[in-house]
Amino acid sequence: MTTLQDLNRCDAAAFVDTLRGIYEHSPWIPQRAAAQRPFASAAALKLALQRVVETASTDEQLGLIRAHPELAGKAAIAGTLTQESTSEQAKSGLNLCSAAEHATLHKLNADYNAKFGFPFILAVKGPDGNGLTRQAIIETFTRRLKNQRADEMAECLRQIHRIAELRINDLLKAAPQFGPAIMQRAETIAAWSDAADNLTCSYMTEAHRRTATQLAEWMTQAGMAAHIDAVGNVVGRYLSDRPGAKTLMTGSHYDTVRDAGKYDGRLGILLPLAIVHHLHQRGERLPFNLEIVGFAEEEGVRFKSTFLGSNAIIGQFDTALLEQTDCDGVTMRQALLDAGHDVNDITGIARDPADLLGFVEVHIEQGPVLLEQGLALGVVSAIAGSSRYLVELTGLASHAGTTPMNMRRDAAAAAAEIVLLVERRCSEAPSLVGTVGQLEVPNGSVNVIAGHCKLSLDIRAADDTTRLAAVSDILDGIAVMCERRQVESTIKQVVSASAAPCAPWLMDQLGAAVQRAGLPRYDLASGAGHDAMAMARITDVAMLFTRCGNGGISHNRLETMTSDDAEIAAQVLLDFLRSFRPQHVQI
């Protein structure tokens, strides 16, 4: 069996020969990486090989891509694939394609090559290493055929790195401790949904309650004292053996958006849960209590009220929300009662800040930054603040054929100008983003100039000064534009959330754990909101991001991550917990 120590100690020629099959017909990659030895970890080896490819010329990168065979193509049929490719294609049953599937793949291969000039590359073993189905492969092939050439070339290289990662795992006989269990549990609870054809798990539905029960059961099995509190949070405590120990908290939310991915929020519960199970099996206790909270509601799908679970934990639950109704007219109060909760107990959920050492949340990035950087992990520097508005524009509905262009009071044209204003202004700072996610012409008609229009504004930035300056400029711009167009505007603010900077002392400890795993520390801001934003009101917070695949897509069924990334994230968090040192307090 080859070990990392073997690769670090052997001469360069043996190093290249051992890794010859990792990148298809491309020994130049290990040749250039050999000088970087010794590698501190398998993750460091993988990253070094990846960086060689990233710094190669475009012709070399294209040569690497073209060295790969077509999926279920002529080489596979003729049996001339490399041993590695043969095994990988067989893992997904590509050697068992029906005549119809062969015909579909043949057509896709031909169309893809004609469009891009290189073969379609996909790590067919999939995110968990167990193999994609043939249908999933065909669906991915079809979707990616719509990409632009530069984007698709970058995706092919990412897939090649994933293939290489899996091959290195096989070479080194890697025995993951956490990744497979995390991925499998995510699959288990993803099967419970409010909808028949997608993952939707909204507050206090049957799927939501079943998920909570399962999480509590897993916590108990992991050696934690577990319960579901009055607002639906699933709470597990892994107690220290030290009298009077304080508490470090972690966790995330288990509710989802509609048609969601499997990892948003849930990764931050399942990953530390796997770590606690490992500690419990070893009989290992930490010098502090570790509390995992599966927050009941963060997304706000059912009752349009976000951060219910974390706001209850910090003692800032708004009881007026209990009278909010869902689309069926059911109040939140009734939904909680039907689930067996006593709303009078919600105030008792609040934690004492004096007992807390901090809060650390693990979360899938939900964006493309780590993916573009080729990194599995990132340390979050701040969670962006958000300003959200609903805008109503009132112009004058009139005949589309008879009203001259210079005499129109067109609400839709005004809305379009606002969209471009937001896009232009929010391109001026790196951490600033702006979105018009809702745009409506009520009762619009093809032959009528729009007299009324509704739209939303969502402005976010990692620091409040940048965000509020952009908001001011956009609102002023709307006022000037409306006066010029003789369109009236009504603007209502619906969200104002301050940015939540992460605590540098916690970031440094997370970053040190990342570096000890053989990866570089990479800091980035979070544009999405998280339960850590609420927790930051009572304690210091930090976040560890994991890479999001499929171009960084999230809040979408295409959201994905790999078992290997889950594994390295868990190893880093475990190291962080074992090395944790509190700030200015005694454990």
Short mmCIF file of all heavy atoms in Angstrom, two decimals, residues 406-444:
data_model
loop_
_atom_site.label_atom_id
_atom_site.label_comp_id
_atom_site.label_asym_id
_atom_site.label_seq_id
_atom_site.Cartn_x
_atom_site.Cartn_y
_atom_site.Cartn_z
N ASN A 406 -42.50 60.26 -25.97
CA ASN A 406 -42.07 61.33 -25.07
C ASN A 406 -43.20 61.84 -24.17
O ASN A 406 -43.00 62.78 -23.40
CB ASN A 406 -41.48 62.49 -25.88
CG ASN A 406 -42.50 63.14 -26.80
OD1 ASN A 406 -43.59 62.60 -26.99
ND2 ASN A 406 -42.14 64.29 -27.36
N MET A 407 -44.38 61.24 -24.26
CA MET A 407 -45.51 61.67 -23.43
C MET A 407 -45.96 60.57 -22.47
O MET A 407 -47.00 60.69 -21.84
CB MET A 407 -46.67 62.11 -24.33
CG MET A 407 -46.35 63.32 -25.20
SD MET A 407 -47.71 63.78 -26.30
CE MET A 407 -48.97 64.25 -25.10
N ARG A 408 -45.17 59.54 -22.35
CA ARG A 408 -45.57 58.39 -21.53
C ARG A 408 -45.15 58.57 -20.06
O ARG A 408 -44.10 59.13 -19.77
CB ARG A 408 -44.97 57.10 -22.09
CG ARG A 408 -45.45 56.81 -23.49
CD ARG A 408 -44.90 55.51 -24.02
NE ARG A 408 -45.46 55.21 -25.34
CZ ARG A 408 -45.60 54.00 -25.85
NH1 ARG A 408 -45.21 52.94 -25.15
NH2 ARG A 408 -46.13 53.83 -27.03
N ARG A 409 -45.98 58.02 -19.19
CA ARG A 409 -45.64 57.89 -17.76
C ARG A 409 -45.65 56.38 -17.45
O ARG A 409 -46.54 55.86 -16.82
CB ARG A 409 -46.64 58.65 -16.91
CG ARG A 409 -46.61 60.16 -17.16
CD ARG A 409 -47.78 60.86 -16.49
NE ARG A 409 -47.81 60.61 -15.05
CZ ARG A 409 -48.84 60.96 -14.25
NH1 ARG A 409 -49.90 61.57 -14.79
NH2 ARG A 409 -48.80 60.69 -12.97
N ASP A 410 -44.61 55.71 -17.96
CA ASP A 410 -44.55 54.26 -18.01
C ASP A 410 -43.92 53.70 -16.72
O ASP A 410 -42.71 53.85 -16.48
CB ASP A 410 -43.72 53.84 -19.23
CG ASP A 410 -43.79 52.36 -19.51
OD1 ASP A 410 -44.02 51.57 -18.57
OD2 ASP A 410 -43.58 51.98 -20.67
N ALA A 411 -44.72 53.06 -15.89
CA ALA A 411 -44.22 52.50 -14.63
C ALA A 411 -43.24 51.36 -14.87
O ALA A 411 -42.28 51.18 -14.12
CB ALA A 411 -45.38 52.03 -13.78
N ALA A 412 -43.46 50.57 -15.91
CA ALA A 412 -42.56 49.44 -16.20
C ALA A 412 -41.19 49.95 -16.67
O ALA A 412 -40.16 49.38 -16.31
CB ALA A 412 -43.17 48.53 -17.25
N ALA A 413 -41.18 51.00 -17.49
CA ALA A 413 -39.91 51.56 -17.93
C ALA A 413 -39.15 52.15 -16.74
O ALA A 413 -37.92 52.04 -16.64
CB ALA A 413 -40.14 52.64 -18.98
N ALA A 414 -39.88 52.74 -15.80
CA ALA A 414 -39.26 53.25 -14.58
C ALA A 414 -38.65 52.11 -13.77
O ALA A 414 -37.55 52.21 -13.24
CB ALA A 414 -40.28 54.02 -13.75
N ALA A 415 -39.38 51.01 -13.69
CA ALA A 415 -38.88 49.84 -12.96
C ALA A 415 -37.60 49.32 -13.61
O ALA A 415 -36.64 48.94 -12.92
CB ALA A 415 -39.94 48.75 -12.91
N ALA A 416 -37.59 49.28 -14.94
CA ALA A 416 -36.41 48.81 -15.65
C ALA A 416 -35.21 49.71 -15.36
O ALA A 416 -34.08 49.22 -15.18
CB ALA A 416 -36.69 48.77 -17.15
N GLU A 417 -35.43 50.99 -15.27
CA GLU A 417 -34.34 51.91 -14.97
C GLU A 417 -33.82 51.68 -13.54
O GLU A 417 -32.62 51.77 -13.29
CB GLU A 417 -34.81 53.36 -15.14
CG GLU A 417 -33.68 54.36 -15.07
CD GLU A 417 -34.07 55.77 -15.52
OE1 GLU A 417 -35.09 55.91 -16.22
OE2 GLU A 417 -33.35 56.71 -15.14
N ILE A 418 -34.72 51.35 -12.63
CA ILE A 418 -34.31 51.05 -11.26
C ILE A 418 -33.44 49.80 -11.23
O ILE A 418 -32.43 49.74 -10.53
CB ILE A 418 -35.54 50.89 -10.35
CG1 ILE A 418 -36.24 52.25 -10.18
CG2 ILE A 418 -35.14 50.33 -8.98
CD1 ILE A 418 -37.57 52.16 -9.46
N VAL A 419 -33.84 48.78 -11.99
CA VAL A 419 -33.04 47.55 -12.05
C VAL A 419 -31.61 47.87 -12.49
O VAL A 419 -30.63 47.39 -11.90
CB VAL A 419 -33.68 46.52 -13.00
CG1 VAL A 419 -32.76 45.33 -13.21
CG2 VAL A 419 -35.03 46.06 -12.47
N LEU A 420 -31.46 48.68 -13.52
CA LEU A 420 -30.14 49.03 -14.02
C LEU A 420 -29.38 49.91 -13.04
O LEU A 420 -28.16 49.80 -12.91
CB LEU A 420 -30.27 49.72 -15.38
CG LEU A 420 -30.83 48.84 -16.50
CD1 LEU A 420 -30.99 49.66 -17.78
CD2 LEU A 420 -29.93 47.64 -16.76
N LEU A 421 -30.11 50.79 -12.34
CA LEU A 421 -29.48 51.63 -11.31
C LEU A 421 -28.88 50.76 -10.21
O LEU A 421 -27.74 50.96 -9.77
CB LEU A 421 -30.51 52.60 -10.73
CG LEU A 421 -30.10 53.36 -9.46
CD1 LEU A 421 -28.90 54.26 -9.73
CD2 LEU A 421 -31.28 54.17 -8.91
N VAL A 422 -29.65 49.78 -9.74
CA VAL A 422 -29.17 48.88 -8.69
C VAL A 422 -27.95 48.10 -9.19
O VAL A 422 -26.95 47.97 -8.47
CB VAL A 422 -30.30 47.90 -8.27
CG1 VAL A 422 -29.75 46.80 -7.36
CG2 VAL A 422 -31.42 48.66 -7.57
N GLU A 423 -28.01 47.60 -10.39
CA GLU A 423 -26.90 46.84 -10.95
C GLU A 423 -25.64 47.70 -11.05
O GLU A 423 -24.54 47.27 -10.68
CB GLU A 423 -27.28 46.30 -12.33
CG GLU A 423 -26.21 45.44 -12.98
CD GLU A 423 -26.65 44.93 -14.34
OE1 GLU A 423 -26.97 45.76 -15.22
OE2 GLU A 423 -26.68 43.70 -14.52
N ARG A 424 -25.81 48.93 -11.53
CA ARG A 424 -24.66 49.82 -11.71
C ARG A 424 -24.05 50.23 -10.37
O ARG A 424 -22.84 50.15 -10.17
CB ARG A 424 -25.11 51.06 -12.49
CG ARG A 424 -23.98 52.04 -12.81
CD ARG A 424 -24.47 53.13 -13.75
NE ARG A 424 -25.53 53.95 -13.14
CZ ARG A 424 -26.81 53.89 -13.49
NH1 ARG A 424 -27.21 53.03 -14.44
NH2 ARG A 424 -27.72 54.67 -12.91
N ARG A 425 -24.90 50.67 -9.44
CA ARG A 425 -24.38 51.16 -8.15
C ARG A 425 -23.75 50.04 -7.33
O ARG A 425 -22.73 50.25 -6.65
CB ARG A 425 -25.52 51.82 -7.35
CG ARG A 425 -25.11 52.33 -5.97
CD ARG A 425 -24.02 53.38 -6.07
NE ARG A 425 -23.60 53.87 -4.78
CZ ARG A 425 -22.69 53.28 -3.99
NH1 ARG A 425 -22.11 52.16 -4.40
NH2 ARG A 425 -22.36 53.81 -2.83
N CYS A 426 -24.31 48.85 -7.39
CA CYS A 426 -23.80 47.76 -6.56
C CYS A 426 -22.62 47.04 -7.18
O CYS A 426 -22.10 46.08 -6.61
CB CYS A 426 -24.93 46.78 -6.23
SG CYS A 426 -26.18 47.49 -5.13
N SER A 427 -22.18 47.53 -8.33
CA SER A 427 -20.94 47.00 -8.94
C SER A 427 -19.73 47.83 -8.52
O SER A 427 -18.61 47.53 -8.94
CB SER A 427 -21.06 47.02 -10.47
OG SER A 427 -22.10 46.19 -10.91
N GLU A 428 -19.94 48.82 -7.66
CA GLU A 428 -18.87 49.75 -7.33
C GLU A 428 -18.01 49.34 -6.15
O GLU A 428 -16.98 49.96 -5.89
CB GLU A 428 -19.47 51.15 -7.07
CG GLU A 428 -20.11 51.77 -8.30
CD GLU A 428 -20.74 53.13 -8.02
OE1 GLU A 428 -20.60 53.62 -6.87
OE2 GLU A 428 -21.37 53.69 -8.93
N ALA A 429 -18.42 48.31 -5.39
CA ALA A 429 -17.63 47.86 -4.24
C ALA A 429 -17.60 46.34 -4.23
O ALA A 429 -18.61 45.70 -4.54
CB ALA A 429 -18.23 48.40 -2.94
N PRO A 430 -16.49 45.73 -3.86
CA PRO A 430 -16.34 44.27 -3.95
C PRO A 430 -17.35 43.49 -3.13
O PRO A 430 -17.83 42.44 -3.56
CB PRO A 430 -14.91 44.04 -3.44
CG PRO A 430 -14.20 45.32 -3.66
CD PRO A 430 -15.22 46.39 -3.47
N SER A 431 -17.68 43.95 -1.93
CA SER A 431 -18.57 43.17 -1.07
C SER A 431 -20.03 43.55 -1.23
O SER A 431 -20.90 43.00 -0.55
CB SER A 431 -18.18 43.36 0.40
OG SER A 431 -18.55 44.64 0.87
N LEU A 432 -20.33 44.48 -2.12
CA LEU A 432 -21.68 45.01 -2.27
C LEU A 432 -22.43 44.26 -3.37
O LEU A 432 -21.90 44.04 -4.46
CB LEU A 432 -21.59 46.50 -2.61
CG LEU A 432 -22.88 47.29 -2.79
CD1 LEU A 432 -23.67 47.36 -1.48
CD2 LEU A 432 -22.55 48.71 -3.28
N VAL A 433 -23.67 43.86 -3.07
CA VAL A 433 -24.52 43.23 -4.08
C VAL A 433 -25.93 43.81 -3.98
O VAL A 433 -26.39 44.18 -2.90
CB VAL A 433 -24.57 41.69 -3.94
CG1 VAL A 433 -23.24 41.06 -4.24
CG2 VAL A 433 -25.05 41.28 -2.55
N GLY A 434 -26.59 43.87 -5.09
CA GLY A 434 -27.96 44.36 -5.12
C GLY A 434 -28.80 43.55 -6.08
O GLY A 434 -28.33 43.16 -7.16
N THR A 435 -30.03 43.28 -5.69
CA THR A 435 -30.89 42.40 -6.48
C THR A 435 -32.31 42.93 -6.52
O THR A 435 -32.85 43.34 -5.49
CB THR A 435 -30.91 40.98 -5.88
OG1 THR A 435 -29.58 40.50 -5.76
CG2 THR A 435 -31.72 40.03 -6.74
N VAL A 436 -32.91 42.91 -7.69
CA VAL A 436 -34.35 43.08 -7.83
C VAL A 436 -34.89 41.69 -8.14
O VAL A 436 -34.88 41.23 -9.28
CB VAL A 436 -34.70 44.08 -8.96
CG1 VAL A 436 -36.21 44.17 -9.15
CG2 VAL A 436 -34.13 45.46 -8.63
N GLY A 437 -35.36 41.02 -7.10
CA GLY A 437 -35.78 39.63 -7.25
C GLY A 437 -37.24 39.45 -7.58
O GLY A 437 -37.66 38.37 -8.02
N GLN A 438 -38.02 40.49 -7.36
CA GLN A 438 -39.45 40.46 -7.69
C GLN A 438 -39.77 41.65 -8.57
O GLN A 438 -39.37 42.78 -8.28
CB GLN A 438 -40.31 40.51 -6.43
CG GLN A 438 -40.13 39.30 -5.51
CD GLN A 438 -40.88 39.45 -4.21
OE1 GLN A 438 -40.90 40.53 -3.60
NE2 GLN A 438 -41.52 38.39 -3.76
N LEU A 439 -40.48 41.40 -9.65
CA LEU A 439 -40.83 42.46 -10.59
C LEU A 439 -42.19 42.10 -11.20
O LEU A 439 -42.33 41.03 -11.79
CB LEU A 439 -39.76 42.57 -11.68
CG LEU A 439 -39.88 43.71 -12.69
CD1 LEU A 439 -39.89 45.06 -12.00
CD2 LEU A 439 -38.71 43.64 -13.68
N GLU A 440 -43.15 42.98 -11.04
CA GLU A 440 -44.52 42.63 -11.42
C GLU A 440 -45.22 43.84 -12.05
O GLU A 440 -45.08 44.97 -11.56
CB GLU A 440 -45.29 42.18 -10.18
CG GLU A 440 -46.74 41.82 -10.42
CD GLU A 440 -47.50 41.54 -9.14
OE1 GLU A 440 -46.91 41.64 -8.04
OE2 GLU A 440 -48.72 41.24 -9.24
N VAL A 441 -45.97 43.59 -13.11
CA VAL A 441 -46.87 44.58 -13.69
C VAL A 441 -48.29 44.07 -13.45
O VAL A 441 -48.80 43.25 -14.23
CB VAL A 441 -46.61 44.79 -15.19
CG1 VAL A 441 -47.58 45.83 -15.76
CG2 VAL A 441 -45.17 45.20 -15.44
N PRO A 442 -48.94 44.49 -12.38
CA PRO A 442 -50.28 43.96 -12.07
C PRO A 442 -51.28 44.28 -13.17
O PRO A 442 -51.33 45.41 -13.68
CB PRO A 442 -50.65 44.69 -10.77
CG PRO A 442 -49.35 45.14 -10.19
CD PRO A 442 -48.48 45.45 -11.36
N ASN A 443 -52.02 43.27 -13.56
CA ASN A 443 -53.05 43.44 -14.59
C ASN A 443 -52.51 44.00 -15.90
O ASN A 443 -53.20 44.72 -16.62
CB ASN A 443 -54.18 44.34 -14.07
CG ASN A 443 -54.81 43.79 -12.81
OD1 ASN A 443 -55.10 42.60 -12.71
ND2 ASN A 443 -54.99 44.66 -11.82
N GLY A 444 -51.24 43.68 -16.18
CA GLY A 444 -50.64 44.20 -17.39
C GLY A 444 -51.24 43.61 -18.65
O GLY A 444 -51.77 42.49 -18.64
#
